[in-house]
Amino acid sequence: MLRSQIFDRTARLLGNDGLECLDRIKVIIFGVGGVGSWAAETLVRTGVTHVTIVDADKVAASNVNRQLPALVSTVGQVKVDVLRRHLLDINPEASVTALHTLYNTSTASSFSLEDYDYVIDAIDSLSDKALLILNATEAMSLHKGMKLFSSMGAALKLDPSRIAVDEFWKVKGCPLAAALRRKFKKSGRFPARKFKCVYSDELVPNSPAYEPAATEDGGMAPMSFNKAVTNGSLMHITSIFGITLASLVIRDAISRHHSF
């Protein structure tokens, strides 16, 4: 009874069969920071039941301005654990698997990407992101209909109207997409399938007037886990990236049963 009430508005729009479709699909999200956490939120609130979230980070105070799991009360806690509790509070019947780990050359073999219908890439690290893209696109040949949706750079943006979706090789004006293409060309290994990206061609520089705040022990505030560079970013951009990624999953899943 509670589930039918929670997802009443979803069923009114998509129909009971549409809701059942979302209940069946399996989604894995790599990176649940400023982008991935909002993708997870959107999926579970809409009716997606089977979600796996992957992130090696803990909540930092610098996450509070834009990341769903980040509150003053959760600083220092494992990010995927905080998010899992939150998602189950939205839908207690959801199956949410939280993996506190990185996706990299050491751990990639432990993931069976072909077991999922959708892979969402919200990884920050260039090398780890490239590896996931390569492996996920190869897994598409093992799982017919499997899709990869990837977030390009969401930092250094202010204008949400410039956020767009396109196939990876058609993305323009995004330094992260350009860096990925250079990496693929240098290695000679390319994505095996086409995949869509959320991106923005806007590039706003970090403020030259910014001075990093000192920590209580006198040191500078630590950088986010596994990032070579920390750039400014805001929730009204990162959240839209994440929500757009979730919308790609939802619309693709529903389009197989309906025509909107």
Side-chain angles (χ1 to χ4, degrees):
M1 176 63 72
L2 179 61
R3 185 178 186 278
S4 65
Q5 294 173 344
I6 291 172
F7 298 111
D8 174 76
R9 298 300 193 274
T10 299
R12 285 174 185 267
L13 182 63
L14 304 180
N16 289 326
D17 55 342
L19 183 57
E20 290 173 6
C21 169
L22 296 180
D23 184 58
R24 289 193 299 268
I25 64 173
K26 295 181 179 180
V27 184
I28 186 167
I29 304 172
F30 290 92
V32 291
V35 173
S37 61
W38 297 103
E41 167 99 351
T42 304
L43 291 171
V44 173
R45 283 195 185 275
T46 304
V48 175
T49 303
H50 303 284
V51 178
T52 298
I53 50 178
V54 185
D55 198 301
D57 212 350
K58 293 183 179 180
V59 177
S62 60
N63 301 153
V64 175
N65 84 315
R66 70 200 182 283
Q67 297 188 14
L68 180 63
L71 304 167
V72 171
S73 62
T74 63
V75 169
Q77 296 182 30
V78 172
K79 201 173 290 184
V80 290
D81 291 345
V82 176
L83 184 57
R84 181 178 184 273
R85 292 195 299 269
H86 175 79
L87 296 176
L88 291 176
D89 205 18
I90 295 169
N91 179 12
E93 297 179 13
S95 174
V96 181
T97 301
L99 301 178
H100 183 219
T101 186
L102 288 170
Y103 187 89
N104 58 23
T105 54
S106 298
T107 64
S109 61
S110 66
F111 291 91
S112 298
L113 298 178
E114 63 275 10
D115 290 345
Y116 299 91
D117 301 294
Y118 297 95
V119 175
I120 291 181
D121 158 40
I123 293 177
D124 292 320
S125 163
L126 180 67
S127 58
D128 296 347
K129 191 179 198 73
L131 179 65
L132 176 60
I133 289 171
L134 292 170
N135 289 344
T137 54
E138 288 180 356
M140 290 180 189
S141 62
L142 301 176
H143 181 157
K144 185 177 180 180
M146 173 187 162
K147 296 286 183 69
L148 165 68
F149 298 122
S150 179
S151 172
M152 296 295 103
L156 303 176
K157 320 288 184 189
L158 285 173
D159 184 358
S161 71
R162 292 172 68 169
I163 297 172
V165 176
D166 213 334
E167 196 276 321
F168 172 68
W169 293 101
K170 296 181 180 179
V171 172
K172 296 181 179 180
C174 175
L176 179 55
L180 283 167
R181 288 194 288 261
R182 287 194 300 270
K183 186 173 183 64
F184 293 141
K185 290 175 182 177
K186 184 176 180 180
S187 69
R189 187 181 174 195
F190 297 91
R193 295 284 189 277
K194 292 183 178 180
F195 62 97
K196 289 184 178 179
C197 301
V198 180
Y199 74 102
S200 169
D201 62 0
E202 182 181 26
L203 193 61
V204 179
N206 285 314
S207 171
Y210 170 72
E211 294 182 5
T215 60
E216 291 183 359
D217 62 4
M220 305 309 290
M223 294 171 64
S224 296
F225 186 85
N226 207 36
K227 284 187 179 180
V229 178
T230 299
N231 289 313
S233 52
L234 301 175
M235 178 184 159
H236 74 274
I237 298 295
T238 65
S239 62
I240 294 175
F241 268 63
I243 291 168
T244 303
L245 287 168
S247 80
L248 291 170
V249 170
I250 293 164
R251 287 183 288 147
D252 184 80
I254 295 303
S255 70
R256 303 183 188 194
H257 299 273
H258 295 280
S259 179
F260 288 95

